[in-house]
Structures are given as structure tokens and as C-alpha cells.
Amino acid sequence: MLHLNLQQQPHLLDGGEGQGDEEAYKILVMDSHCVSILSPVLRVNDLRRHGVTLHLGIDRPRQAVPDAPAIYLVRPTPANTDRIAADAAAGLYASFHLNFSTSLPRPLLERLAAACAASPAAAQRVARVADQYLDFVCLEEGLFSLAQPRAYVALNDPAAADADITVLVDAVALGLFCVAATLGVVPVIRCARGGPAEMVAAALDARLRDHLLAKPNLFTEAASASISSFQRPVLCLFDRNFELFVGVQHDWSYRPLVHDVLGLKLNKLKLPAEKYELDDSDKFWVANSWSPFPKVAEEIEAQLAKYKQDVDEVNQRTGGGNAGVEFDGTDLIGNTKHLMNAVNSLPELTERKKIIDKHTNIATALLGHIKERSLDGYCDCENDMLVNGTVDRNTLLSLLRGKGTKEDKLRLAVTYLLSFETPPSSELEQVEAALRESEVDMSAFQYVKRIKALNTQFAAASGTATKSNIVDWAEKLYGQSLSAVTAGVKNLLSDGRQLALTRTVEALMEGKPNPEVDDYLLFDPRAPRPGTAGQFKGPFREAIVFMIGGGNYIEYRSLMDLEHRSQPVKHVIYGATEILSGAEFIHQLAELGQKAGLGGGGSNPPSGPAQ
């Protein structure tokens, strides 16, 4: 795409010099959504290496560069197609290479063609129109997001119209189609019965079937180019209500802390005085992002000590003595060999110091929040409840009345509510009283409490009539959320050590008879027709796990642990409609509680781009 959709010669891809259109001065024009798609995987230097010297927003005023070709990467929307046609008519660029993040619908294609045809010069400037199927954000090799904000609220809003639900389900299915097209594989789809997971599975199955009717198609092209893997993966679809507590709990690992406390978005972190990128290019981040925070602090100290030792060694070899630990190259003396070694080591030492300084600043900022909010206490208390099944009442109540934000206290209270099947009524009353004393909006707590009561009643109902009555009552209260809520009855309460999500994915990959997944639906887009007998159920070596309604780094880490401990080796990719922090998810629960008439007051959910 960055080379005007032309096949590149190997020496050009490696950065060699060449001649022709592919070496032209190029301009990249994007909308905000596509900026989010590219920013985690391409830096400005990467763009320049591919000949892109200027990147601009489509919705901002732009000066004409009539002698340069322009590459457009935008969503297929009426506003974007109209702006492209206007740019072409105005002759802003020499040629227009149009790339859409998903397939361009025929009505929009005709609209674009008609607008360009009105100006003969504009029509001649449009060199190419391509569907790129890139409508997802790749945060790293095994993690992606569809950047669809507030999907959980939209799917569980009791006032949501069927048409709105259908639009969202289709958007999720389209995003997953883009992921499958990028991987070059047609997955086998598994999901629980009922709820958004089944709706998305059916929509994706239909979209894949329709696409496979065309020959050639994206998947035959991938096979011919040897992009796709030999074995098809299993796509496991889940709804956020499948395991609710994971979305709100605090975590003590470095990466979840940075995301939750400091607001990591699209692999970028903004501190008051600095901006950092945290991705695979940062070796310290790769090696330590899943370590507990205290171990990360120790590793920073160890790396700083090693850096100082290496600088001292260089200074001594070059005659710099022990006057200081900073290596600036100004006192280099000694023989030529040592001098050259010192000069060659300077870039590596400088980069190490930059990384150490970056993580020292991040750890310092985290430590300030940890002390101010007693986050270590919240993590310990929640861990006792979720893993050990116990809670110290005095510790719990002191945290709810003490330090921490209102969101911290609400997350702890919701975790307590979900950790025990039947908490003592007197203890539950004390928890609610402590929340009110801290002036915490109770909407989210009451919403989860109602869902839990509904699940308990539904699970305990023995007669069909009784179940039907509960379903009718709940649908009036919760609307679209009911089928998803009842589908995850077993997983609403924590079972302790292993996440239910990871346990279920492992069972689906094994493909063996298992009571937990035997009733899961299977969609195979390559089968002659839906529901065909004898469809392949495993085992699978590769899986794509997708959480509808928002995922988090805790689940991602659990799936990575599954990948690392499996024999033979398995590969798991994790994705979600958006990657949420605990505070962001608790705001969505609070919004649903307010819509259902529970609780009261409280602030609006924080606004911002989805990750």
C-alpha cells in the first residue's frame, strides 16, 4: 500500500535505492481511525523509509502538492469519499491511490465515481481503489482490538433498539473478518449458546460464506502466497459477562498497572513531563512487563548498576578514570584499540541509559499512585478473595473507608460481591454502608448485585415455567443483557486459580468431550451448509480468542501462560472490541445501573478513544 500498491523488488523492500514510481515523493492522507490503526505498528521513520515524507489528516486543511502522488487510507464513509472527490477535483496531488480500511460498499463506490466523473481531470487522477481489510488495531503480535468503544453498554442497554444491536454485531463481525483476511485463514468458530457471542458468530459465518463463493477470494490469494498456516485455527467468541470480575479487579503486574493507573493507550504513555512508546522495540518492556511491580523496580536498579559498571570500565580502559559515571566521550584517551571499542559502545550505552531513564520515570509515577491509593492493599485483598476464597472483614472495610479513588473502592466491592456465592448479609450491609460513607455512586454495585441475584434464581429454578417467568421478568429489566448473563452463570463467581476463559479455551482447543464445552455451538464457514454433521472439532494448535464487550491485559496474560505451558506448542491470539482498564469498565457498569434505575448520582463515563 505504501508503495502505491505495486509489487516491490526485494532490494527496494530492504531499503535499497531504485528508480521509478515506487521511489516517488509520497503523501499519506488518513482519517483519525486509520491513524489509530497504523500508529502502533509504524513510526514516522518507518514511513520515511518507505518514501512517505508527509502524513496528513483528511479532515484538516491541506496545501496542494500537485507533483506528488497521494496515498489515502480511510474508512469507507460518505464524508471521506466526498472529501476524496473534492481533493481530486481540486488537483491537490498528481495521482490518488485510494485504500479503504474495509470493503467499500457499492453505493459509496458509485457515489465516488459519479463525483469524480463530474470533473474529467479528477477521474484521470484516481489511479487505484483498493479494499485493504485493516479495520482493527494490532497492539502487538498476539494482541488486537477493534477499537469499538462502549460495546458492553450498547449490547446490555435495556433501551437499545434491535437495529442498533444489529449494526454493532455486524461491525464486530466485519472487524473479525478483517482479522481472518489478514491472517489468510478461515477459522472454525465456537461460542456459547445465546447472547452477543452467538449473534456475532452467525454474522461472521454468513459473511465468510458469502465471500468464499467468489473465486478467487482473499483466502485463495493468501494460500497461493503462502501467507496462511497449514492448519485452520479455532475462533473462540465470548461475551464480557462470561467472566465479569476480571474486568474490574486490580492487578500487581507492571503492564496492567501501567495501563490501569497511568493510562497506556495504543502502546503510548503520556506522563506530565514525557511521552513514551511501550512496544516490542523496548527490550526492558518485553522482558519485564508481566513481572510484579516490586521485581520490576529491582530490575531497574540492577540494570542501572550494570550500566554504571560498564561506563566505569570503558572510562578506565580509555584513561578516563573514575571521575564520573556518565560516559560522554570527551575524555577518550589511550590506545587506538580501546578508543575504537569505546566509540563503538557509545550508541549502545546511550540507548541503555535512555531505556533505564524511561522506566525509572514510569516506576516513579506508579509508585506515587500506589502510595497515594494503597493499591498494594487492594491487590492483596482481592487476591485473597479470588484465589484463597477468604476475606478479612476489617481489611476490606478499612480499604473501602480509606485511601483510593471511588473507582478503586467500587471495584473492590464488586470483586467481593462476585467472589462469594452467598456473602453474609450483615457483612454485605457493612460493605454497602462503607461505600455510602465514601460517597461512592452505587449504580455499578447494585447492577452487578441484581445480575447475580438473577443468575442465582435462574440456576436454582427447576421447572420450565419458573425459568420462563424469571426470563420474562429479567428481559423487562435488563433487555438485551439477559441471554448473555444467563449464558455465564457458572463463571460469574470466581473459581480461584485459573480463569474460566483460559480453561474453556484450552478445552475447545483440545477438542475432546468436556461437559464445560460440549454444548458450545460450532460454525464452519467451509462446511457445505450450517449445522452439517461431522464438522471438525479439534484438536487445534492455533486459536483466536475474542472478548465482546471489552478485554483486558489480565486475560491476555493468562492466555499467554496457556500458550507457554502447552505441549505440543500452541499459539493463541487475543482480541476484544476494546482493551479496558478496571476503572473504564466500572464506569460502563455504572452507566448500565443508572439506565436500569439502580443507584444514583455519579459522574459520566470518561470520554476518550477506544484502544
Side-chain angles (χ1 to χ4, degrees):
M1 181 188 75
L2 295 180
H3 294 273
L4 311 183
N5 293 311
L6 298 175
Q7 184 68 35
Q8 295 302 296
Q9 299 298 323
H11 71 281
L12 295 179
L13 294 176
D14 294 338
E17 297 296 330
Q19 298 178 349
D21 290 341
E22 64 272 19
E23 293 301 313
Y25 175 85
K26 289 170 287 192
I27 295 171
L28 178 61
V29 182
M30 298 180 288
D31 60 11
S32 59
H33 178 76
C34 291
V35 170
S36 299
I37 291 174
L38 283 192
S39 61
V41 294
L42 286 176
R43 297 184 177 83
V44 173
N45 289 340
D46 298 322
L47 293 176
R48 288 177 179 169
R49 191 169 63 250
H50 291 284
V52 177
T53 54
L54 194 62
H55 55 94
L56 305 166
I58 192 173
D59 55 349
R60 295 185 178 182
R62 287 169 278 124
Q63 294 182 347
V65 188
D67 59 343
I71 302 167
Y72 281 73
L73 177 61
V74 295
R75 292 186 111 176
T77 65
N80 284 339
T81 54
D82 291 347
R83 187 60 184 265
I84 290 170
D87 291 349
L92 290 187
Y93 311 111
S95 60
F96 289 70
H97 301 260
L98 310 182
N99 300 272
F100 293 94
S101 60
T102 61
S103 59
L104 180 65
R106 188 166 188 82
L108 282 183
L109 178 61
E110 294 175 351
R111 177 173 177 161
L112 175 62
C116 291
S119 171
Q124 294 176 1
R125 294 187 185 105
V126 177
R128 195 180 189 101
V129 179
D131 298 331
Q132 295 294 349
Y133 295 99
L134 295 174
D135 203 20
F136 62 95
V137 178
C138 181
L139 297 171
E140 57 185 73
E141 184 178 353
L143 177 66
F144 72 93
S145 163
L146 298 188
Q148 295 175 346
R150 300 178 66 255
Y152 184 80
V153 173
L155 289 169
N156 292 276
D157 185 354
D162 290 345
D164 296 333
I165 297 294
T166 301
V167 168
L168 178 56
V169 168
D170 288 342
V172 174
L174 177 58
L176 290 172
F177 178 88
C178 291
V179 172
T182 301
L183 293 172
V185 293
V186 179
V188 175
I189 307 168
R190 301 296 305 270
C191 67
R193 296 179 183 274
E198 182 179 353
M199 296 169 66
V200 170
L204 177 59
D205 178 68
R207 183 178 289 273
L208 286 167
R209 285 178 179 277
D210 289 343
H211 182 77
L212 291 172
L213 292 176
K215 302 292 184 183
N217 55 57
L218 292 171
F219 301 100
T220 57
E221 293 172 3
S224 63
S226 299
I227 296 175
S228 62
S229 61
F230 178 75
Q231 188 185 51
R232 296 169 62 191
V234 58
L235 171 60
C236 309
L237 299 179
F238 297 92
D239 171 38
R240 181 67 274 162
N241 285 317
F242 176 80
E243 199 167 22
L244 199 61
F245 75 91
V246 188
V248 299
Q249 73 177 100
H250 293 84
D251 195 82
W252 198 228
S253 300
Y254 190 36
R255 184 184 301 211
L257 270 176
V258 172
H259 177 239
D260 190 4
V261 176
L262 301 181
L264 177 68
K265 289 290 183 184
L266 298 174
N267 296 341
K268 292 176 174 58
L269 179 65
K270 292 183 180 180
L271 296 182
E274 297 286 347
K275 295 180 181 179
Y276 298 118
E277 291 190 359
L278 296 170
D279 53 27
D280 292 344
S281 64
D282 185 335
K283 294 181 180 179
F284 185 92
W285 178 254
V286 172
N288 298 282
S289 65
W290 300 115
S291 299
F293 178 69
K295 289 187 178 181
V296 173
E298 293 175 2
E299 184 62 24
I300 293 173
E301 289 292 331
Q303 298 227 4
L304 180 59
K306 181 67 166 59
Y307 165 79
K308 291 179 178 180
Q309 179 184 344
D310 291 346
V311 169
D312 283 343
E313 183 178 341
V314 170
N315 284 337
Q316 289 172 4
R317 287 185 176 182
T318 57
N322 297 319
V325 296
E326 293 299 329
F327 179 67
D328 56 11
T330 59
D331 298 324
L332 288 176
I333 60 175
N335 61 52
T336 303
K337 181 179 178 180
H338 288 159
L339 182 63
M340 291 302 297
N341 288 339
V343 171
N344 292 335
S345 67
L346 179 59
E348 189 264 342
L349 288 172
T350 303
E351 182 63 24
R352 281 171 58 188
K353 185 62 164 59
K354 181 180 177 181
I355 295 294
I356 291 170
D357 288 344
K358 174 169 74 172
H359 288 281
T360 298
N361 293 337
I362 295 173
T364 301
L366 278 177
L367 188 59
H369 284 278
I370 290 170
K371 290 182 177 179
E372 181 182 355
R373 295 162 55 181
S374 294
L375 292 179
D376 52 339
Y378 282 94
C379 291
D380 288 342
C381 187
E382 290 175 4
N383 186 69
D384 285 341
M385 291 188 290
L386 294 171
V387 177
N388 302 324
T390 60
V391 62
D392 184 284
R393 180 184 301 186
N394 294 331
T395 301
L396 174 65
L397 296 177
S398 65
L399 285 169
L400 294 176
R401 296 190 177 105
K403 295 181 180 180
T405 64
K406 293 180 179 180
E407 289 85 358
D408 288 330
K409 297 173 183 179
L410 194 52
R411 291 163 64 183
L412 177 63
V414 169
T415 302
Y416 164 78
L417 188 62
L418 297 177
S419 297
F420 304 100
E421 186 172 358
T422 54
S425 57
S426 60
E427 192 171 87
L428 188 59
E429 291 173 1
Q430 288 180 303
V431 168
E432 295 183 12
L435 288 175
R436 285 190 288 268
E437 287 177 25
S438 298
E439 299 180 346
V440 175
D441 176 26
M442 299 288 288
S443 300
F445 185 84
Q446 296 296 345
Y447 179 75
V448 175
K449 188 177 178 181
R450 283 284 186 91
I451 289 178
K452 182 182 175 183
L454 166 65
N455 280 346
T456 302
Q457 288 179 307
F458 188 84
S462 56
T464 304
T466 306
K467 286 186 179 182
S468 178
N469 291 338
I470 294 174
V471 168
D472 292 341
W473 166 77
E475 283 183 339
K476 294 177 183 178
L477 177 61
Y478 294 106
Q480 298 292 337
S481 71
L482 173 70
S483 55
V485 170
T486 54
V489 172
K490 294 181 293 184
N491 304 313
L492 187 61
L493 303 175
S494 166
D495 73 335
R497 298 177 184 176
Q498 188 181 36
L499 296 184
L501 174 73
T502 307
R503 188 176 65 246
T504 304
V505 169
E506 186 173 15
L508 289 171
M509 293 186 75
E510 289 177 351
K512 299 177 181 178
N514 188 315
E516 290 194 20
V517 297
D518 285 345
D519 62 342
Y520 270 51
L521 297 174
L522 187 150
F523 295 83
D524 186 352
R526 287 198 181 277
R529 62 183 184 276
T532 301
Q535 293 172 320
F536 182 64
K537 294 186 177 182
F540 297 92
R541 291 182 300 175
E542 299 177 357
I544 305 168
V545 181
F546 188 79
M547 184 60 70
I548 303 166
N552 52 72
Y553 283 106
I554 298 173
E555 289 175 336
Y556 179 42
R557 180 188 59 196
S558 180
L559 291 169
M560 289 180 65
D561 292 341
L562 167 64
E563 184 178 87
H564 294 154
R565 73 170 185 266
S566 298
Q567 292 296 333
V569 177
K570 295 178 180 177
H571 181 54
V572 180
I573 296 174
Y574 177 69
T577 47
E578 60 180 325
I579 304 298
L580 291 171
S581 67
E584 290 168 336
F585 185 58
I586 207 73
H587 276 289
Q588 294 196 24
L589 289 172
E591 184 177 352
L592 287 171
Q594 292 165 10
K595 288 178 179 291
L598 306 172
S603 58
N604 293 326
S607 60
Q611 173 171 305

